Amino acid sequence: MSVRIILCGACGKMGGNVLSLLENDAEATAVCGVDLYPREIGIPVYTSFADVKEDADVIIDFSSPVGLVERLEYAKAHKLGIVLASTGFTADDLKTIDEYAKSVAIFKTANLSLGVNLMQALIKTAAEVLGDSYDVEIIERHHNLKKDAPSGTALMLADTINEAFDGKKRYVDGRSGIVGAREKSEIGMHAVRGGTIVGEHEVMFAGEDEIITISHSARSKRVFAVGAIRAAKFLPGKTAGTYEMKDLLAEENA
């Protein structure tokens, strides 16, 4: 049976990528969209979840943190899973997501790319092996329209590295002026914004006389749409709670 998807942010660029991929997907289909600025895209599009008439199995949310509660409340009321594919959530937003996860199956990750999730595993191993003898710096690059910095993916990578240090590292967002010598407790975070860069993340482990760099470059937004659709197929039937890419990959490779 085909997984029925409500696509939030349907008229945006990522919504377009998802719809394009679903055209040739026999296992999933978009039954309708929700977007503040509706236009003709081949499926019904509503400005509010309150207007949705179609039955569905899951929501893919590629909009923004604005209106988060409306989406989560709809998912709860209709017993749908939801893929939160946007970033820029505040601390309060994250608390709200955790609260709804008690009654909703929520798939949330800062990056839906398979490559980035492999990168996570590699940098965690590197951090565990190299320890405090190497300084860690993260450089992320995105297009000039991105609103949040550092990126959600950069923070996810920093958190992954910090797990190897029992959360003792502190994050330093860029450096300016006379900041003194670098402390071992730091993970440096640097954001670059320009042009149409889709997304690039580089983790540098700088030691004495050598540097190890692990990086990922997304050349198209389609990689994120592919991940979102895989997550949408994964969620139906799941119990309430939070899920991420490692859970999906574990199930796919079981």
Side-chain angles (χ1 to χ4, degrees):
M1 181 178 174
S2 181
V3 174
R4 300 165 297 178
I5 298 168
I6 297 174
L7 182 56
C8 187
C11 300
K13 291 182 179 179
M14 286 310 307
N17 278 301
V18 171
L19 289 173
S20 176
L21 289 168
L22 288 175
E23 287 180 1
N24 299 309
D25 195 320
E27 298 176 347
T29 185
V31 294
C32 69
V34 177
D35 199 292
L36 291 175
Y37 306 99
R39 58 185 175 83
E40 178 56 48
I41 57 173
I43 59 173
V45 181
Y46 308 100
T47 56
S48 169
F49 274 90
D51 300 323
V52 172
K53 305 175 182 64
E54 289 75 11
D55 293 328
D57 304 299
V58 65
I59 299 167
I60 293 180
D61 178 21
F62 262 118
S63 56
S64 76
V66 177
L68 173 65
V69 172
E70 180 195 26
R71 291 158 225 158
L72 292 172
E73 192 61 37
Y74 186 90
K76 178 180 177 180
H78 292 80
K79 297 180 173 56
L80 307 182
I82 182 169
V83 180
L84 295 177
S86 56
T87 60
F89 293 112
T90 65
D92 286 342
D93 289 334
L94 296 176
K95 289 179 182 178
T96 297
I97 292 168
D98 287 341
E99 186 62 31
Y100 273 91
K102 296 175 183 177
S103 52
V104 177
I106 299 175
F107 192 102
K108 181 187 173 299
T109 178
N111 196 300
L112 287 156
S113 158
L114 176 60
V116 165
N117 284 272
L118 173 60
M119 183 183 181
Q120 267 190 285
L122 294 173
I123 62 173
K124 185 172 184 181
T125 297
E128 290 170 346
V129 171
L130 300 174
D132 268 331
S133 59
Y134 283 69
D135 299 323
V136 183
E137 298 284 308
I138 299 174
I139 304 97
E140 54 99 345
R141 306 173 184 88
H142 284 86
H143 53 86
N144 55 23
L145 297 178
K146 186 169 178 60
K147 297 177 181 179
D148 56 312
S151 70
T153 300
L155 290 168
M156 179 180 73
L157 296 175
D159 289 344
T160 298
I161 293 166
N162 214 357
E163 288 177 10
F165 298 99
D166 299 320
K168 295 177 181 177
K169 297 287 186 179
R170 64 184 182 89
Y171 305 161
V172 178
D173 296 334
R175 297 183 180 86
S176 180
I178 309 300
V179 296
R182 188 189 193 283
E183 298 178 3
K184 284 294 181 183
S185 61
E186 296 178 5
I187 294 179
M189 311 273 281
H190 311 278
V192 176
R193 297 289 178 267
T196 57
I197 302 170
V198 174
E200 298 179 358
H201 293 85
E202 175 183 321
V203 178
M204 180 180 68
F205 295 88
E208 187 172 348
D209 300 327
E210 68 176 356
I211 296 172
I212 300 167
T213 300
I214 300 173
S215 63
H216 175 271
S217 177
R219 302 306 173 90
S220 165
K221 290 181 179 292
R222 286 175 69 87
V223 298
F224 310 127
V226 169
I229 293 171
R230 287 172 71 179
K233 294 175 182 177
F234 164 83
L235 273 187
K238 294 293 184 295
T239 58
T242 54
Y243 300 87
E244 53 185 307
M245 190 61 75
K246 66 180 181 182
D247 302 308
L248 183 156
L249 295 174
E251 180 171 290
E252 288 186 348
N253 295 300

